[in-house]
Amino acid sequence: MTLKILVADDSANIQRIVNLAFSDEDAIVESVSDGAITLEIVKDFRPDVVLADVFLPGCSGYEICASIKEDPELGDTAVVLLAGAFDPFDEAEASRAKCNGLLTKPFNTSDLLQTVHSLAEEKRKVQKEEKETENAGMDTPLKA
């Protein structure tokens, strides 16, 4: 199954690094440089994982994360916040937004790959369990 990743970062270098990290994998990577546009794209693209810079023009990574998590159709999308090594990171805000993880820039590509794959696998596992539960309910005969 193809992995879908949305990178919301105004750094062309970060966008390139993520694209290169997943270039040999069965993955589609979309990149965007503006937070407000990210919220539009996420609805159509339906990524498995969103990587969002905490200091993004238009809408912060925290706001992107909170908006995704509050949307009933997108709430199971994993969101990893990206913060520069010397940028302030608000742990309370990240927790409130229900982010799934943090990567500090510059990040090691093996950490990136591990984080994204782990979150995508977790999401697929939950979806499979939900589908099995739905199917099990359908197999139950109705009583007259």
Side-chain angles (χ1 to χ4, degrees):
M1 185 175 236
T2 302
L3 179 63
K4 294 172 77 175
I5 304 159
L6 179 60
V7 182
D9 198 302
D10 57 339
S11 166
N13 288 334
I14 294 297
Q15 292 178 6
R16 264 188 243 112
I17 288 168
V18 175
N19 269 295
L20 285 171
F22 290 94
S23 64
D24 292 336
E25 305 215 7
D26 183 17
I28 300 170
V29 179
E30 286 285 329
S31 298
V32 64
S33 300
D34 180 271
I37 294 170
T38 301
L39 293 174
E40 294 172 22
I41 290 175
V42 75
K43 291 177 182 172
D44 292 328
F45 184 56
R46 301 273 184 188
D48 296 298
V49 179
V50 174
L51 303 172
D53 184 11
V54 293
F55 295 112
L56 196 59
C59 190
S60 75
Y62 303 111
E63 293 168 313
I64 291 168
C65 182
S67 180
I68 289 170
K69 296 298 184 177
E70 290 168 2
D71 187 317
E73 294 180 22
L74 301 171
D76 65 344
T77 303
V79 180
V80 177
L81 296 176
L82 306 176
F86 300 107
D87 291 335
F89 179 74
D90 188 338
E91 288 187 35
E93 185 65 12
S95 177
R96 185 196 65 73
K98 300 179 183 167
C99 84
N100 298 90
L102 167 69
L103 285 173
T104 303
K105 301 185 280 185
F107 44 78
N108 182 313
T109 54
S110 64
D111 291 341
L112 170 68
L113 290 166
Q114 180 182 356
T115 299
V116 169
H117 282 295
S118 173
L119 290 170
E121 182 62 33
E122 187 177 310
K123 177 182 176 182
R124 290 192 175 125
K125 191 176 185 180
V126 168
Q127 288 175 333
K128 182 180 178 186
E129 289 170 0
E130 288 173 353
K131 197 171 204 170
E132 288 172 356
T133 302
E134 286 175 17
N135 290 340
M138 295 174 139
D139 293 342
T140 306
L142 297 174
K143 293 183 181 179

